[in-house]
Amino acid sequence: MRTLIAIKAHAFLERHFPERRVFLRSDTDTRFIRLRPATQLIAFSGVSLIVAWSIIATAILLMDSIGSGNFREQAKRDQRTYENRLNDLSSERDKRAIEAREAQERFNSALEQISVMQSELLASETRRREMETGIDVIQSTLRRTMHERDAARGKADTLTVELETSGDRDALSTGDGAGGNVVDFLTLALAETAAERDQVTADAQDALIQADEMQQQIRLMQDQNDQIFRQLEDAMTISVEPLDKMFRSAGMSTEKILNTVRKGYSGQGGPLMPLSFSTRGEAPSPDAARANRLLNQLDRLNLYRIAGEKAPFALPLKGAFRYTSGFGPRWGRMHNGTDMAGDHGSPIYATADGVVTHAGWQSAYGRLVTIKHAFGIETRYAHQSKIRVKKGQRVSRGDRIGDMGNSGRSTGTHLHYEIRVDGKAINAMTFIKAGRNVF
């Protein structure tokens, strides 16, 4: 079987690669080289391989050249797109910063207007109480005057009856001379009584007119008070709702936060004490109850403002930067912070009031600053090139705590910003986005 296969193979080679001889002739001798079919096949295969390799290599080089050009163009296009996106994000961030400053200015203006309105409200309420007291005095004077008028009328009637009776008797006994004197005396007394009665009536009419005028003034003051109350209530709604939404967006319990702040700021007294115009233990009037509700809302607004300073709603960077990595799984492990890349040495700022609990080197974090805030919140600022605070130092929002760097386990200059609540890492962008419309 093997012999038959060998014979067929040899016949195939003889047919396609017949034996050839290459003669080499010199002046004295002639020689030849025998090229057998197998040798020719090997040579043909070698030449074919070389030619094929040359073609493939040339094609690869051409494809690589064309592909590298396309890749470079694609990379340039991606770079331009990325730079445009970064510019758009930077412009958007600047707009949000301007809107935040404008919102803060509106907030401060609203507080000033609320303070002025509160003073006007208290003054108008005091004037209204004084007018009510004046009306009560005028009404009691009017009642007393009317009582005196009725008494004078009764006295005049009595004197008239006595005059008529005594005039008749005197005319019969003493004659016209003595009777005339008595009549003159009684006439004078009646005239004086009538004058007093007319004066009392005029005083009563004046008192009624003054009472009507005061009632009109009270109605006008009540309308003004109602307008002031509506403006104050609208201002409170506009000011409190964004702050309440900000804390809820960050996943924080507003009642728990306000109670915590209220415990730390529990002093009483001053203009925000509840209003009470009654000294007899009576229920407050509707205006007093309305004013107390406004004062409670103003107190809630102040508590929100204090809590907002103590929670990290601000950005740790104020210059140009870009987000390079977010919160979540990365490279097979959990990334607990948000990375922000910028220029080497860019200032890093505290995002809320607090106390520095760590300021130094910590393994993969490199140069790390840790700040403890209220409500069980902790912020971390890693990979710094220089630390500008010390452990135990109290800092406020906006204080510079270090410079951006590349220390620790890092692939480039950036800030690793991390927020933890009760020891558990959470997404820092939750706080940043929640505070974007307020700060």
Side-chain angles (χ1 to χ4, degrees), residues 319-335:
F321 71 92
R322 61 187 178 91
Y323 295 103
T324 56
S325 183
F327 179 87
R330 187 184 69 176
W331 302 335
R333 59 188 302 175
M334 187 66 182
H335 184 237

PDB file of all heavy atoms in Angstrom, residues 319-335:
ATOM      1  N   GLY A 319     -11.999  75.976  41.122  1.00  0.00           N
ATOM      2  CA  GLY A 319     -11.411  76.234  39.825  1.00  0.00           C
ATOM      3  C   GLY A 319     -11.907  75.241  38.781  1.00  0.00           C
ATOM      4  O   GLY A 319     -12.846  74.475  38.999  1.00  0.00           O
ATOM      5  N   ALA A 320     -11.233  75.253  37.619  1.00  0.00           N
ATOM      6  CA  ALA A 320     -11.607  74.348  36.537  1.00  0.00           C
ATOM      7  C   ALA A 320     -11.202  72.916  36.870  1.00  0.00           C
ATOM      8  O   ALA A 320     -10.092  72.669  37.352  1.00  0.00           O
ATOM      9  CB  ALA A 320     -10.936  74.793  35.236  1.00  0.00           C
ATOM     10  N   PHE A 321     -12.107  71.977  36.637  1.00  0.00           N
ATOM     11  CA  PHE A 321     -11.823  70.566  36.861  1.00  0.00           C
ATOM     12  C   PHE A 321     -12.787  69.745  36.015  1.00  0.00           C
ATOM     13  O   PHE A 321     -13.713  70.264  35.414  1.00  0.00           O
ATOM     14  CB  PHE A 321     -11.962  70.201  38.345  1.00  0.00           C
ATOM     15  CG  PHE A 321     -13.380  70.195  38.833  1.00  0.00           C
ATOM     16  CD1 PHE A 321     -14.138  69.030  38.817  1.00  0.00           C
ATOM     17  CD2 PHE A 321     -13.986  71.353  39.295  1.00  0.00           C
ATOM     18  CE1 PHE A 321     -15.450  69.020  39.255  1.00  0.00           C
ATOM     19  CE2 PHE A 321     -15.292  71.360  39.739  1.00  0.00           C
ATOM     20  CZ  PHE A 321     -16.022  70.188  39.705  1.00  0.00           C
ATOM     21  N   ARG A 322     -12.535  68.430  35.986  1.00  0.00           N
ATOM     22  CA  ARG A 322     -13.452  67.523  35.294  1.00  0.00           C
ATOM     23  C   ARG A 322     -13.591  66.249  36.107  1.00  0.00           C
ATOM     24  O   ARG A 322     -12.650  65.825  36.801  1.00  0.00           O
ATOM     25  CB  ARG A 322     -12.954  67.203  33.881  1.00  0.00           C
ATOM     26  CG  ARG A 322     -11.619  66.511  33.818  1.00  0.00           C
ATOM     27  CD  ARG A 322     -11.131  66.403  32.377  1.00  0.00           C
ATOM     28  NE  ARG A 322      -9.819  65.773  32.271  1.00  0.00           N
ATOM     29  CZ  ARG A 322      -9.629  64.469  32.108  1.00  0.00           C
ATOM     30  NH1 ARG A 322     -10.672  63.669  32.000  1.00  0.00           N
ATOM     31  NH2 ARG A 322      -8.422  63.951  32.032  1.00  0.00           N
ATOM     32  N   TYR A 323     -14.781  65.639  36.033  1.00  0.00           N
ATOM     33  CA  TYR A 323     -15.030  64.380  36.722  1.00  0.00           C
ATOM     34  C   TYR A 323     -14.406  63.243  35.902  1.00  0.00           C
ATOM     35  O   TYR A 323     -14.676  63.094  34.715  1.00  0.00           O
ATOM     36  CB  TYR A 323     -16.529  64.148  36.868  1.00  0.00           C
ATOM     37  CG  TYR A 323     -17.219  65.152  37.753  1.00  0.00           C
ATOM     38  CD1 TYR A 323     -17.973  66.184  37.199  1.00  0.00           C
ATOM     39  CD2 TYR A 323     -17.116  65.082  39.135  1.00  0.00           C
ATOM     40  CE1 TYR A 323     -18.605  67.118  38.000  1.00  0.00           C
ATOM     41  CE2 TYR A 323     -17.742  66.011  39.941  1.00  0.00           C
ATOM     42  CZ  TYR A 323     -18.491  67.022  39.372  1.00  0.00           C
ATOM     43  OH  TYR A 323     -19.116  67.938  40.161  1.00  0.00           O
ATOM     44  N   THR A 324     -13.575  62.452  36.551  1.00  0.00           N
ATOM     45  CA  THR A 324     -12.898  61.361  35.847  1.00  0.00           C
ATOM     46  C   THR A 324     -13.373  59.982  36.290  1.00  0.00           C
ATOM     47  O   THR A 324     -13.199  59.013  35.556  1.00  0.00           O
ATOM     48  CB  THR A 324     -11.378  61.443  36.069  1.00  0.00           C
ATOM     49  OG1 THR A 324     -11.094  61.447  37.489  1.00  0.00           O
ATOM     50  CG2 THR A 324     -10.823  62.725  35.456  1.00  0.00           C
ATOM     51  N   SER A 325     -13.937  59.873  37.457  1.00  0.00           N
ATOM     52  CA  SER A 325     -14.435  58.574  37.917  1.00  0.00           C
ATOM     53  C   SER A 325     -15.476  58.813  38.999  1.00  0.00           C
ATOM     54  O   SER A 325     -15.290  59.664  39.879  1.00  0.00           O
ATOM     55  CB  SER A 325     -13.289  57.714  38.464  1.00  0.00           C
ATOM     56  OG  SER A 325     -13.768  56.432  38.843  1.00  0.00           O
ATOM     57  N   GLY A 326     -16.578  58.064  38.931  1.00  0.00           N
ATOM     58  CA  GLY A 326     -17.663  58.254  39.879  1.00  0.00           C
ATOM     59  C   GLY A 326     -17.722  57.164  40.937  1.00  0.00           C
ATOM     60  O   GLY A 326     -16.861  56.275  41.026  1.00  0.00           O
ATOM     61  N   PHE A 327     -18.776  57.230  41.726  1.00  0.00           N
ATOM     62  CA  PHE A 327     -18.993  56.284  42.811  1.00  0.00           C
ATOM     63  C   PHE A 327     -19.540  54.974  42.237  1.00  0.00           C
ATOM     64  O   PHE A 327     -20.430  54.977  41.392  1.00  0.00           O
ATOM     65  CB  PHE A 327     -19.984  56.894  43.805  1.00  0.00           C
ATOM     66  CG  PHE A 327     -20.328  56.003  44.970  1.00  0.00           C
ATOM     67  CD1 PHE A 327     -19.560  56.003  46.118  1.00  0.00           C
ATOM     68  CD2 PHE A 327     -21.435  55.173  44.917  1.00  0.00           C
ATOM     69  CE1 PHE A 327     -19.881  55.199  47.190  1.00  0.00           C
ATOM     70  CE2 PHE A 327     -21.766  54.361  45.983  1.00  0.00           C
ATOM     71  CZ  PHE A 327     -20.985  54.373  47.116  1.00  0.00           C
ATOM     72  N   GLY A 328     -18.969  53.843  42.683  1.00  0.00           N
ATOM     73  CA  GLY A 328     -19.470  52.552  42.227  1.00  0.00           C
ATOM     74  C   GLY A 328     -18.357  51.564  41.938  1.00  0.00           C
ATOM     75  O   GLY A 328     -17.168  51.852  42.155  1.00  0.00           O
ATOM     76  N   PRO A 329     -18.702  50.358  41.434  1.00  0.00           N
ATOM     77  CA  PRO A 329     -17.683  49.342  41.136  1.00  0.00           C
ATOM     78  C   PRO A 329     -16.715  49.838  40.063  1.00  0.00           C
ATOM     79  O   PRO A 329     -17.117  50.462  39.086  1.00  0.00           O
ATOM     80  CB  PRO A 329     -18.509  48.150  40.631  1.00  0.00           C
ATOM     81  CG  PRO A 329     -19.895  48.388  41.147  1.00  0.00           C
ATOM     82  CD  PRO A 329     -20.065  49.865  41.186  1.00  0.00           C
ATOM     83  N   ARG A 330     -15.430  49.528  40.276  1.00  0.00           N
ATOM     84  CA  ARG A 330     -14.403  49.910  39.310  1.00  0.00           C
ATOM     85  C   ARG A 330     -13.236  48.939  39.413  1.00  0.00           C
ATOM     86  O   ARG A 330     -12.694  48.726  40.504  1.00  0.00           O
ATOM     87  CB  ARG A 330     -13.923  51.341  39.572  1.00  0.00           C
ATOM     88  CG  ARG A 330     -12.976  51.890  38.520  1.00  0.00           C
ATOM     89  CD  ARG A 330     -12.475  53.270  38.891  1.00  0.00           C
ATOM     90  NE  ARG A 330     -11.589  53.242  40.031  1.00  0.00           N
ATOM     91  CZ  ARG A 330     -10.940  54.299  40.530  1.00  0.00           C
ATOM     92  NH1 ARG A 330     -11.122  55.482  39.976  1.00  0.00           N
ATOM     93  NH2 ARG A 330     -10.155  54.185  41.577  1.00  0.00           N
ATOM     94  N   TRP A 331     -12.863  48.337  38.269  1.00  0.00           N
ATOM     95  CA  TRP A 331     -11.726  47.412  38.217  1.00  0.00           C
ATOM     96  C   TRP A 331     -11.896  46.255  39.209  1.00  0.00           C
ATOM     97  O   TRP A 331     -10.948  45.845  39.890  1.00  0.00           O
ATOM     98  CB  TRP A 331     -10.416  48.139  38.490  1.00  0.00           C
ATOM     99  CG  TRP A 331     -10.143  49.270  37.545  1.00  0.00           C
ATOM    100  CD1 TRP A 331     -10.620  49.417  36.287  1.00  0.00           C
ATOM    101  CD2 TRP A 331      -9.358  50.438  37.827  1.00  0.00           C
ATOM    102  NE1 TRP A 331     -10.184  50.595  35.733  1.00  0.00           N
ATOM    103  CE2 TRP A 331      -9.394  51.250  36.647  1.00  0.00           C
ATOM    104  CE3 TRP A 331      -8.629  50.878  38.924  1.00  0.00           C
ATOM    105  CZ2 TRP A 331      -8.739  52.456  36.566  1.00  0.00           C
ATOM    106  CZ3 TRP A 331      -7.959  52.082  38.832  1.00  0.00           C
ATOM    107  CH2 TRP A 331      -8.021  52.864  37.672  1.00  0.00           C
ATOM    108  N   GLY A 332     -13.119  45.773  39.350  1.00  0.00           N
ATOM    109  CA  GLY A 332     -13.344  44.621  40.200  1.00  0.00           C
ATOM    110  C   GLY A 332     -13.467  44.920  41.678  1.00  0.00           C
ATOM    111  O   GLY A 332     -13.558  43.997  42.492  1.00  0.00           O
ATOM    112  N   ARG A 333     -13.485  46.196  42.051  1.00  0.00           N
ATOM    113  CA  ARG A 333     -13.645  46.559  43.468  1.00  0.00           C
ATOM    114  C   ARG A 333     -14.484  47.829  43.564  1.00  0.00           C
ATOM    115  O   ARG A 333     -14.728  48.508  42.573  1.00  0.00           O
ATOM    116  CB  ARG A 333     -12.275  46.753  44.133  1.00  0.00           C
ATOM    117  CG  ARG A 333     -11.432  47.816  43.484  1.00  0.00           C
ATOM    118  CD  ARG A 333     -10.017  47.839  44.046  1.00  0.00           C
ATOM    119  NE  ARG A 333     -10.030  48.049  45.475  1.00  0.00           N
ATOM    120  CZ  ARG A 333      -8.941  48.012  46.249  1.00  0.00           C
ATOM    121  NH1 ARG A 333      -7.772  47.710  45.706  1.00  0.00           N
ATOM    122  NH2 ARG A 333      -9.007  48.238  47.531  1.00  0.00           N
ATOM    123  N   MET A 334     -14.895  48.156  44.777  1.00  0.00           N
ATOM    124  CA  MET A 334     -15.788  49.294  44.999  1.00  0.00           C
ATOM    125  C   MET A 334     -14.990  50.581  45.088  1.00  0.00           C
ATOM    126  O   MET A 334     -14.016  50.682  45.845  1.00  0.00           O
ATOM    127  CB  MET A 334     -16.605  49.087  46.278  1.00  0.00           C
ATOM    128  CG  MET A 334     -17.668  50.135  46.497  1.00  0.00           C
ATOM    129  SD  MET A 334     -18.938  50.032  45.210  1.00  0.00           S
ATOM    130  CE  MET A 334     -19.998  51.393  45.704  1.00  0.00           C
ATOM    131  N   HIS A 335     -15.389  51.573  44.311  1.00  0.00           N
ATOM    132  CA  HIS A 335     -14.792  52.908  44.386  1.00  0.00           C
ATOM    133  C   HIS A 335     -15.729  53.779  45.213  1.00  0.00           C
ATOM    134  O   HIS A 335     -16.834  54.114  44.785  1.00  0.00           O
ATOM    135  CB  HIS A 335     -14.613  53.481  42.976  1.00  0.00           C
ATOM    136  CG  HIS A 335     -13.926  54.810  42.957  1.00  0.00           C
ATOM    137  ND1 HIS A 335     -14.478  55.940  42.395  1.00  0.00           N
ATOM    138  CD2 HIS A 335     -12.716  55.185  43.445  1.00  0.00           C
ATOM    139  CE1 HIS A 335     -13.651  56.959  42.525  1.00  0.00           C
ATOM    140  NE2 HIS A 335     -12.572  56.528  43.162  1.00  0.00           N
TER     141      HIS A 335
END
